[in-house]
Amino acid sequence: MQERSSSQRGRLALGLGAMVAGGALLVGAFPGYAGATNTQTEPTTSSSVVAGNPTCGDLAPEGAEWVEFKIEPVESGTYTQGPLTVTIDVTETDDGPVFDWESNIGVDAVFVKGGPGGLLYVYDPESTGDTGLHAPVNPQNDKFYGLSHLSFCYDVDQATTTSTTEKDTTTTTEHETSTTSTTEMDTTTTTEHGTTSTTAAGETSTTLLGGTTPTTQPGGELPRTGNNSGPLLAVGAALLCGGTALVAATRKLRHR
């Protein structure tokens, strides 16, 4: 009797272990959802009151070179200067005017001029948007000064570059039988009482007397896409089902 009870406990532990292992494999088969973390760094914002009417060049830290995009007057809309495009949304509140902004490239700082000075917002790392910005507080009425102008400060290296790669094309016309060879970056077209065109991937279409017969030549195996979670799913499901069945059978034997 004791040996039977020990055997049942062993089968029960084995079944539970199989269920746990199967469940872990099923969860691990979905890397896009299991254990995913957001690695995007949110910019931290610091603000300080700055006297006078400085430019972005004056406000840039030592060793940095900021370009200034000055917007005046300050009204809702979209503005562009060089590589930078900024959209501003101004709202009148009980505390004075505030605005939200967003841009197409990173901005290092925004200087909000109002009253005798302004409020400088610095972003680390660069930001492409913020909400609720305003000028300094007017001590006469404890409300924000009006928005005189805005200066968006960004790095010089934000300008984009574009490069273009051209493919070589060779066309040959003959009246005799021709041989067509194709490299990965070259395209060769041969006309022989019809038209033969070959793409870079190795696919050839031949037109003879008004008809088109597509033929495909080996062009290298295409890379596989998607994930390889199929075997993990199968093993995990098998362990989970087997463990469930073993636990059920063990419980049934214990109640006899």
Side-chain angles (χ1 to χ4, degrees):
M1 183 68 178
Q2 185 176 0
E3 292 180 356
R4 180 182 177 183
S5 176
S6 177
S7 176
Q8 290 178 351
R9 286 196 297 270
R11 286 195 296 269
L12 181 60
L14 182 60
L16 290 174
M19 292 173 64
V20 171
L25 284 176
L26 289 175
V27 172
F30 298 96
Y33 298 94
T37 58
N38 183 6
T39 59
Q40 183 178 1
T41 303
E42 292 294 334
T44 57
T45 308
S46 61
S47 60
S48 58
V49 177
V50 179
N53 188 20
T55 65
C56 288
D58 300 327
L59 298 170
E62 183 178 357
E65 185 177 355
W66 285 352
V67 177
E68 181 176 18
F69 182 13
K70 184 176 181 180
I71 298 177
E72 183 180 22
V74 182
E75 298 175 348
S76 297
T78 299
Y79 306 85
T80 299
Q81 173 186 279
L84 177 60
T85 298
V86 179
T87 299
I88 302 172
D89 184 15
V90 181
T91 304
E92 290 292 337
T93 70
D94 293 339
D95 295 324
V98 300
F99 69 95
D100 305 337
W101 69 271
E102 60 180 18
S103 63
N104 62 326
I105 62 174
V107 170
D108 293 280
V110 178
F111 179 66
V112 185
K113 180 67 171 67
L119 200 58
L120 177 65
Y121 295 84
V122 179
Y123 302 97
D124 185 20
E126 299 168 339
S127 177
T128 57
D130 200 358
T131 59
L133 280 69
H134 54 82
V137 175
N138 184 346
Q140 301 297 325
N141 56 14
D142 291 331
K143 293 185 178 182
F144 306 137
Y145 280 109
L147 301 174
S148 174
H149 71 257
L150 309 177
S151 292
F152 288 84
C153 308
Y154 63 98
D155 291 335
V156 177
D157 60 3
Q158 287 292 336
T160 59
T161 59
T162 303
S163 60
T164 303
T165 303
E166 296 181 355
K167 295 183 179 181
D168 297 330
T169 302
T170 303
T171 302
T172 305
T173 302
E174 298 180 1
H175 296 287
E176 301 297 336
T177 303
S178 302
T179 301
T180 302
S181 62
T182 305
T183 62
E184 184 178 355
M185 293 301 295
D186 296 333
T187 300
T188 302
T189 303
T190 302
T191 302
E192 179 197 348
H193 303 298
T195 301
T196 302
S197 60
T198 305
T199 65
E203 181 179 345
T204 304
S205 296
T206 303
T207 303
L208 295 175
L209 301 177
T212 302
T213 304
T215 59
T216 303
Q217 299 178 353
E221 184 179 357
L222 293 176
R224 297 181 180 179
T225 59
N227 60 48
N228 297 319
S229 60
L232 285 178
L233 287 173
V235 174
L239 286 173
L240 187 60
C241 293
T244 303
L246 186 58
V247 171
T250 302
R251 289 182 176 178
K252 185 176 182 180
L253 289 175
R254 293 180 63 182
H255 286 82
R256 285 184 177 180

Short mmCIF file of all heavy atoms in Angstrom, two decimals, residues 127-180:
data_model
loop_
_atom_site.label_atom_id
_atom_site.label_comp_id
_atom_site.label_asym_id
_atom_site.label_seq_id
_atom_site.Cartn_x
_atom_site.Cartn_y
_atom_site.Cartn_z
N SER A 127 14.30 65.73 -27.95
CA SER A 127 12.88 65.39 -27.96
C SER A 127 12.25 65.80 -29.28
O SER A 127 12.74 66.71 -29.97
CB SER A 127 12.17 66.10 -26.80
OG SER A 127 10.78 65.83 -26.82
N THR A 128 11.17 65.12 -29.63
CA THR A 128 10.40 65.49 -30.82
C THR A 128 9.01 65.99 -30.45
O THR A 128 8.12 66.00 -31.29
CB THR A 128 10.27 64.28 -31.78
OG1 THR A 128 9.67 63.18 -31.07
CG2 THR A 128 11.63 63.87 -32.33
N GLY A 129 8.85 66.42 -29.20
CA GLY A 129 7.56 66.99 -28.81
C GLY A 129 7.45 67.18 -27.31
O GLY A 129 8.15 66.55 -26.52
N ASP A 130 6.57 68.11 -26.92
CA ASP A 130 6.33 68.37 -25.50
C ASP A 130 4.99 69.10 -25.38
O ASP A 130 4.44 69.61 -26.37
CB ASP A 130 7.46 69.22 -24.91
CG ASP A 130 7.53 69.12 -23.38
OD1 ASP A 130 6.67 68.42 -22.80
OD2 ASP A 130 8.43 69.73 -22.78
N THR A 131 4.46 69.17 -24.15
CA THR A 131 3.16 69.81 -23.93
C THR A 131 3.25 70.78 -22.75
O THR A 131 4.08 70.63 -21.85
CB THR A 131 2.08 68.75 -23.63
OG1 THR A 131 2.45 68.00 -22.46
CG2 THR A 131 1.90 67.80 -24.80
N GLY A 132 2.37 71.77 -22.78
CA GLY A 132 2.21 72.68 -21.65
C GLY A 132 3.34 73.65 -21.43
O GLY A 132 3.57 74.10 -20.29
N LEU A 133 4.06 74.05 -22.48
CA LEU A 133 5.14 75.03 -22.32
C LEU A 133 4.57 76.44 -22.20
O LEU A 133 3.49 76.74 -22.73
CB LEU A 133 6.12 74.96 -23.50
CG LEU A 133 7.15 73.83 -23.48
CD1 LEU A 133 6.48 72.48 -23.69
CD2 LEU A 133 8.22 74.06 -24.55
N HIS A 134 5.30 77.32 -21.51
CA HIS A 134 4.81 78.68 -21.30
C HIS A 134 5.98 79.59 -20.99
O HIS A 134 7.12 79.15 -20.76
CB HIS A 134 3.80 78.73 -20.15
CG HIS A 134 4.32 78.13 -18.87
ND1 HIS A 134 5.14 78.83 -18.01
CD2 HIS A 134 4.16 76.89 -18.33
CE1 HIS A 134 5.46 78.05 -16.98
NE2 HIS A 134 4.88 76.87 -17.15
N ALA A 135 5.72 80.89 -20.96
CA ALA A 135 6.72 81.89 -20.61
C ALA A 135 6.82 81.99 -19.08
O ALA A 135 6.02 81.38 -18.35
CB ALA A 135 6.33 83.24 -21.22
N PRO A 136 7.78 82.76 -18.55
CA PRO A 136 7.88 82.93 -17.10
C PRO A 136 6.61 83.56 -16.51
O PRO A 136 5.78 84.13 -17.22
CB PRO A 136 9.09 83.85 -16.94
CG PRO A 136 9.89 83.66 -18.18
CD PRO A 136 8.90 83.42 -19.27
N VAL A 137 6.49 83.47 -15.19
CA VAL A 137 5.33 84.01 -14.49
C VAL A 137 5.53 85.51 -14.24
O VAL A 137 6.60 85.94 -13.79
CB VAL A 137 5.11 83.27 -13.16
CG1 VAL A 137 3.97 83.90 -12.36
CG2 VAL A 137 4.83 81.79 -13.43
N ASN A 138 4.49 86.26 -14.52
CA ASN A 138 4.50 87.70 -14.24
C ASN A 138 4.18 87.91 -12.76
O ASN A 138 3.08 87.56 -12.31
CB ASN A 138 3.46 88.39 -15.11
CG ASN A 138 3.48 89.90 -14.95
OD1 ASN A 138 4.09 90.43 -14.02
ND2 ASN A 138 2.79 90.59 -15.85
N PRO A 139 5.11 88.45 -11.96
CA PRO A 139 4.86 88.60 -10.52
C PRO A 139 3.74 89.60 -10.21
O PRO A 139 3.22 89.62 -9.09
CB PRO A 139 6.21 89.08 -9.97
CG PRO A 139 6.88 89.72 -11.14
CD PRO A 139 6.44 88.96 -12.34
N GLN A 140 3.34 90.41 -11.19
CA GLN A 140 2.29 91.39 -10.94
C GLN A 140 0.91 90.75 -10.85
O GLN A 140 0.04 91.24 -10.12
CB GLN A 140 2.29 92.44 -12.07
CG GLN A 140 3.60 93.20 -12.21
CD GLN A 140 3.93 94.01 -10.97
OE1 GLN A 140 3.03 94.54 -10.30
NE2 GLN A 140 5.21 94.11 -10.65
N ASN A 141 0.72 89.64 -11.59
CA ASN A 141 -0.59 88.99 -11.56
C ASN A 141 -0.52 87.47 -11.38
O ASN A 141 -1.55 86.80 -11.42
CB ASN A 141 -1.37 89.31 -12.85
CG ASN A 141 -0.59 88.91 -14.09
OD1 ASN A 141 0.39 88.17 -14.03
ND2 ASN A 141 -1.03 89.40 -15.23
N ASP A 142 0.69 86.95 -11.17
CA ASP A 142 0.91 85.51 -10.99
C ASP A 142 0.39 84.69 -12.18
O ASP A 142 -0.06 83.55 -12.01
CB ASP A 142 0.24 85.03 -9.69
CG ASP A 142 0.93 85.57 -8.46
OD1 ASP A 142 2.16 85.81 -8.52
OD2 ASP A 142 0.25 85.75 -7.43
N LYS A 143 0.47 85.25 -13.36
CA LYS A 143 0.11 84.52 -14.58
C LYS A 143 1.28 84.55 -15.55
O LYS A 143 2.21 85.35 -15.41
CB LYS A 143 -1.13 85.14 -15.24
CG LYS A 143 -2.40 84.99 -14.40
CD LYS A 143 -3.61 85.53 -15.15
CE LYS A 143 -4.88 85.34 -14.33
NZ LYS A 143 -6.09 85.82 -15.06
N PHE A 144 1.24 83.67 -16.53
CA PHE A 144 2.33 83.60 -17.50
C PHE A 144 2.36 84.86 -18.36
O PHE A 144 1.30 85.40 -18.73
CB PHE A 144 2.18 82.37 -18.40
CG PHE A 144 2.04 81.08 -17.66
CD1 PHE A 144 1.11 80.13 -18.07
CD2 PHE A 144 2.82 80.79 -16.55
CE1 PHE A 144 0.96 78.93 -17.39
CE2 PHE A 144 2.69 79.59 -15.87
CZ PHE A 144 1.74 78.66 -16.28
N TYR A 145 3.58 85.32 -18.66
CA TYR A 145 3.70 86.40 -19.63
C TYR A 145 3.18 85.94 -20.99
O TYR A 145 3.10 84.74 -21.28
CB TYR A 145 5.17 86.81 -19.78
CG TYR A 145 5.68 87.72 -18.69
CD1 TYR A 145 6.59 87.25 -17.74
CD2 TYR A 145 5.30 89.06 -18.61
CE1 TYR A 145 7.09 88.09 -16.75
CE2 TYR A 145 5.79 89.90 -17.63
CZ TYR A 145 6.67 89.41 -16.70
OH TYR A 145 7.15 90.25 -15.72
N GLY A 146 2.84 86.90 -21.83
CA GLY A 146 2.46 86.57 -23.19
C GLY A 146 3.64 85.98 -23.96
O GLY A 146 4.81 86.19 -23.62
N LEU A 147 3.34 85.23 -25.02
CA LEU A 147 4.37 84.58 -25.82
C LEU A 147 4.92 85.57 -26.84
O LEU A 147 4.26 85.89 -27.83
CB LEU A 147 3.80 83.34 -26.51
CG LEU A 147 3.22 82.26 -25.58
CD1 LEU A 147 2.55 81.16 -26.39
CD2 LEU A 147 4.32 81.68 -24.69
N SER A 148 6.15 86.05 -26.60
CA SER A 148 6.77 87.00 -27.52
C SER A 148 7.31 86.28 -28.76
O SER A 148 6.97 86.61 -29.89
CB SER A 148 7.90 87.75 -26.81
OG SER A 148 8.60 88.57 -27.72
N HIS A 149 8.16 85.29 -28.55
CA HIS A 149 8.63 84.44 -29.66
C HIS A 149 9.15 83.13 -29.09
O HIS A 149 9.38 83.01 -27.88
CB HIS A 149 9.70 85.15 -30.50
CG HIS A 149 11.03 85.29 -29.81
ND1 HIS A 149 11.45 86.48 -29.25
CD2 HIS A 149 12.04 84.41 -29.60
CE1 HIS A 149 12.64 86.32 -28.72
NE2 HIS A 149 13.03 85.07 -28.92
N LEU A 150 9.35 82.16 -29.96
CA LEU A 150 9.88 80.85 -29.59
C LEU A 150 11.16 80.60 -30.37
O LEU A 150 11.25 80.92 -31.55
CB LEU A 150 8.88 79.72 -29.89
CG LEU A 150 7.46 79.89 -29.36
CD1 LEU A 150 6.60 78.70 -29.81
CD2 LEU A 150 7.46 80.02 -27.85
N SER A 151 12.14 80.01 -29.72
CA SER A 151 13.38 79.62 -30.38
C SER A 151 13.59 78.12 -30.18
O SER A 151 13.76 77.66 -29.03
CB SER A 151 14.58 80.39 -29.81
OG SER A 151 14.50 81.76 -30.13
N PHE A 152 13.54 77.37 -31.28
CA PHE A 152 13.81 75.94 -31.23
C PHE A 152 15.28 75.71 -31.57
O PHE A 152 15.75 76.12 -32.63
CB PHE A 152 12.90 75.19 -32.22
CG PHE A 152 11.47 75.13 -31.79
CD1 PHE A 152 10.61 76.19 -32.08
CD2 PHE A 152 10.98 74.05 -31.08
CE1 PHE A 152 9.29 76.15 -31.67
CE2 PHE A 152 9.66 73.99 -30.67
CZ PHE A 152 8.81 75.04 -30.97
N CYS A 153 16.00 75.06 -30.67
CA CYS A 153 17.45 74.86 -30.82
C CYS A 153 17.73 73.39 -31.13
O CYS A 153 17.29 72.50 -30.40
CB CYS A 153 18.18 75.26 -29.54
SG CYS A 153 17.76 76.92 -28.92
N TYR A 154 18.46 73.15 -32.21
CA TYR A 154 18.79 71.77 -32.60
C TYR A 154 20.22 71.70 -33.11
O TYR A 154 20.83 72.72 -33.44
CB TYR A 154 17.79 71.26 -33.64
CG TYR A 154 17.79 72.01 -34.95
CD1 TYR A 154 18.49 71.54 -36.07
CD2 TYR A 154 17.07 73.21 -35.10
CE1 TYR A 154 18.47 72.23 -37.27
CE2 TYR A 154 17.06 73.90 -36.30
CZ TYR A 154 17.75 73.41 -37.38
OH TYR A 154 17.73 74.09 -38.56
N ASP A 155 20.74 70.47 -33.18
CA ASP A 155 22.13 70.27 -33.59
C ASP A 155 22.32 70.52 -35.08
O ASP A 155 21.43 70.27 -35.89
CB ASP A 155 22.58 68.85 -33.26
CG ASP A 155 22.69 68.60 -31.77
OD1 ASP A 155 22.89 69.57 -31.01
OD2 ASP A 155 22.56 67.44 -31.37
N VAL A 156 23.54 70.91 -35.43
CA VAL A 156 23.87 71.12 -36.84
C VAL A 156 23.83 69.82 -37.61
O VAL A 156 23.47 69.77 -38.78
CB VAL A 156 25.27 71.77 -36.96
CG1 VAL A 156 25.66 71.92 -38.42
CG2 VAL A 156 25.30 73.11 -36.26
N ASP A 157 24.18 68.69 -36.95
CA ASP A 157 24.26 67.41 -37.65
C ASP A 157 22.91 66.77 -37.91
O ASP A 157 22.82 65.63 -38.32
CB ASP A 157 25.13 66.43 -36.86
CG ASP A 157 24.56 66.15 -35.47
OD1 ASP A 157 23.48 66.68 -35.15
OD2 ASP A 157 25.21 65.41 -34.70
N GLN A 158 21.80 67.52 -37.69
CA GLN A 158 20.47 66.97 -37.94
C GLN A 158 20.14 66.94 -39.43
O GLN A 158 19.18 66.32 -39.84
CB GLN A 158 19.40 67.80 -37.22
CG GLN A 158 19.38 67.59 -35.72
CD GLN A 158 18.94 66.21 -35.34
OE1 GLN A 158 18.25 65.55 -36.10
NE2 GLN A 158 19.33 65.74 -34.18
N ALA A 159 20.91 67.66 -40.27
CA ALA A 159 20.62 67.67 -41.70
C ALA A 159 20.76 66.27 -42.26
O ALA A 159 21.64 65.51 -41.88
CB ALA A 159 21.57 68.62 -42.42
N THR A 160 19.88 65.90 -43.19
CA THR A 160 19.88 64.55 -43.76
C THR A 160 20.62 64.54 -45.08
O THR A 160 20.69 65.54 -45.79
CB THR A 160 18.44 64.07 -43.97
OG1 THR A 160 17.78 64.99 -44.85
CG2 THR A 160 17.69 64.00 -42.67
N THR A 161 21.18 63.38 -45.43
CA THR A 161 21.85 63.19 -46.71
C THR A 161 21.20 62.05 -47.44
O THR A 161 20.69 61.11 -46.84
CB THR A 161 23.34 62.89 -46.50
OG1 THR A 161 23.47 61.71 -45.69
CG2 THR A 161 24.05 64.05 -45.83
N THR A 162 21.22 62.12 -48.77
CA THR A 162 20.60 61.09 -49.60
C THR A 162 21.63 60.55 -50.58
O THR A 162 22.32 61.32 -51.25
CB THR A 162 19.41 61.66 -50.39
OG1 THR A 162 18.48 62.21 -49.47
CG2 THR A 162 18.73 60.57 -51.22
N SER A 163 21.77 59.23 -50.67
CA SER A 163 22.68 58.60 -51.61
C SER A 163 21.88 57.74 -52.56
O SER A 163 20.90 57.12 -52.17
CB SER A 163 23.72 57.75 -50.88
OG SER A 163 23.09 56.74 -50.13
N THR A 164 22.31 57.70 -53.84
CA THR A 164 21.60 56.95 -54.86
C THR A 164 22.54 55.95 -55.50
O THR A 164 23.68 56.28 -55.85
CB THR A 164 21.05 57.89 -55.94
OG1 THR A 164 20.22 58.87 -55.31
CG2 THR A 164 20.26 57.11 -57.00
N THR A 165 22.10 54.70 -55.65
CA THR A 165 22.87 53.66 -56.29
C THR A 165 22.20 53.28 -57.59
O THR A 165 21.02 52.97 -57.62
CB THR A 165 22.98 52.41 -55.38
OG1 THR A 165 23.56 52.80 -54.15
CG2 THR A 165 23.82 51.33 -56.06
N GLU A 166 22.98 53.32 -58.68
CA GLU A 166 22.42 52.99 -59.98
C GLU A 166 22.90 51.61 -60.40
O GLU A 166 24.02 51.20 -60.11
CB GLU A 166 22.86 54.02 -61.03
CG GLU A 166 22.34 55.43 -60.78
CD GLU A 166 22.78 56.39 -61.86
OE1 GLU A 166 23.56 55.95 -62.73
OE2 GLU A 166 22.34 57.54 -61.86
N LYS A 167 22.04 50.87 -61.09
CA LYS A 167 22.39 49.56 -61.60
C LYS A 167 22.80 49.68 -63.07
O LYS A 167 22.24 50.47 -63.82
CB LYS A 167 21.21 48.59 -61.49
CG LYS A 167 20.80 48.29 -60.06
CD LYS A 167 19.69 47.27 -60.01
CE LYS A 167 19.29 46.96 -58.58
NZ LYS A 167 18.21 45.95 -58.52
N ASP A 168 23.80 48.87 -63.47
CA ASP A 168 24.25 48.87 -64.85
C ASP A 168 23.30 48.05 -65.70
O ASP A 168 22.85 46.97 -65.31
CB ASP A 168 25.66 48.26 -64.95
CG ASP A 168 26.66 49.11 -64.18
OD1 ASP A 168 26.44 50.32 -64.10
OD2 ASP A 168 27.65 48.54 -63.67
N THR A 169 22.98 48.55 -66.90
CA THR A 169 22.09 47.86 -67.80
C THR A 169 22.76 47.73 -69.16
O THR A 169 23.27 48.71 -69.71
CB THR A 169 20.75 48.62 -67.97
OG1 THR A 169 20.16 48.77 -66.70
CG2 THR A 169 19.80 47.86 -68.89
N THR A 170 22.80 46.52 -69.69
CA THR A 170 23.42 46.25 -70.98
C THR A 170 22.36 45.68 -71.92
O THR A 170 21.65 44.76 -71.54
CB THR A 170 24.58 45.26 -70.85
OG1 THR A 170 25.52 45.79 -69.92
CG2 THR A 170 25.25 45.02 -72.20
N THR A 171 22.27 46.24 -73.13
CA THR A 171 21.30 45.77 -74.12
C THR A 171 22.05 45.28 -75.36
O THR A 171 22.88 46.00 -75.91
CB THR A 171 20.32 46.87 -74.51
OG1 THR A 171 19.66 47.33 -73.34
CG2 THR A 171 19.29 46.36 -75.51
N THR A 172 21.76 44.07 -75.79
CA THR A 172 22.42 43.49 -76.95
C THR A 172 21.38 43.01 -77.94
O THR A 172 20.42 42.34 -77.55
CB THR A 172 23.31 42.30 -76.54
OG1 THR A 172 24.22 42.74 -75.54
CG2 THR A 172 24.08 41.74 -77.73
N THR A 173 21.54 43.34 -79.24
CA THR A 173 20.63 42.90 -80.29
C THR A 173 21.40 42.06 -81.30
O THR A 173 22.41 42.51 -81.84
CB THR A 173 19.99 44.10 -81.00
OG1 THR A 173 19.31 44.90 -80.04
CG2 THR A 173 19.00 43.64 -82.07
N GLU A 174 20.95 40.84 -81.54
CA GLU A 174 21.60 39.94 -82.48
C GLU A 174 20.56 39.26 -83.35
O GLU A 174 19.37 39.25 -83.03
CB GLU A 174 22.42 38.89 -81.72
CG GLU A 174 23.56 39.47 -80.88
CD GLU A 174 24.33 38.39 -80.15
OE1 GLU A 174 23.98 37.20 -80.34
OE2 GLU A 174 25.28 38.74 -79.43
N HIS A 175 21.02 38.66 -84.43
CA HIS A 175 20.14 37.89 -85.30
C HIS A 175 20.43 36.40 -85.18
O HIS A 175 19.85 35.58 -85.89
CB HIS A 175 20.31 38.33 -86.76
CG HIS A 175 19.89 39.76 -86.97
ND1 HIS A 175 18.58 40.15 -86.96
CD2 HIS A 175 20.65 40.89 -87.17
CE1 HIS A 175 18.50 41.47 -87.17
NE2 HIS A 175 19.75 41.93 -87.29
N GLU A 176 21.39 36.04 -84.35
CA GLU A 176 21.72 34.65 -84.14
C GLU A 176 21.44 34.29 -82.68
O GLU A 176 21.08 35.12 -81.88
CB GLU A 176 23.21 34.41 -84.46
CG GLU A 176 23.61 34.78 -85.89
CD GLU A 176 22.89 33.93 -86.92
OE1 GLU A 176 22.48 32.81 -86.56
OE2 GLU A 176 22.76 34.38 -88.06
N THR A 177 21.67 33.02 -82.36
CA THR A 177 21.44 32.55 -81.00
C THR A 177 22.42 33.24 -80.05
O THR A 177 23.61 33.33 -80.34
CB THR A 177 21.62 31.03 -80.91
OG1 THR A 177 20.74 30.42 -81.85
CG2 THR A 177 21.34 30.53 -79.51
N SER A 178 21.91 33.72 -78.92
CA SER A 178 22.74 34.46 -77.98
C SER A 178 22.71 33.79 -76.62
O SER A 178 21.79 33.03 -76.30
CB SER A 178 22.26 35.91 -77.84
OG SER A 178 22.28 36.55 -79.09
N THR A 179 23.71 34.08 -75.83
CA THR A 179 23.77 33.57 -74.45
C THR A 179 23.63 34.75 -73.50
O THR A 179 24.32 35.75 -73.65
CB THR A 179 25.12 32.88 -74.20
OG1 THR A 179 25.26 31.81 -75.13
CG2 THR A 179 25.17 32.32 -72.77
N THR A 180 22.72 34.61 -72.54
CA THR A 180 22.46 35.68 -71.58
C THR A 180 23.01 35.29 -70.22
O THR A 180 22.68 34.23 -69.70
CB THR A 180 20.95 35.95 -71.45
OG1 THR A 180 20.45 36.28 -72.73
CG2 THR A 180 20.69 37.09 -70.48
#
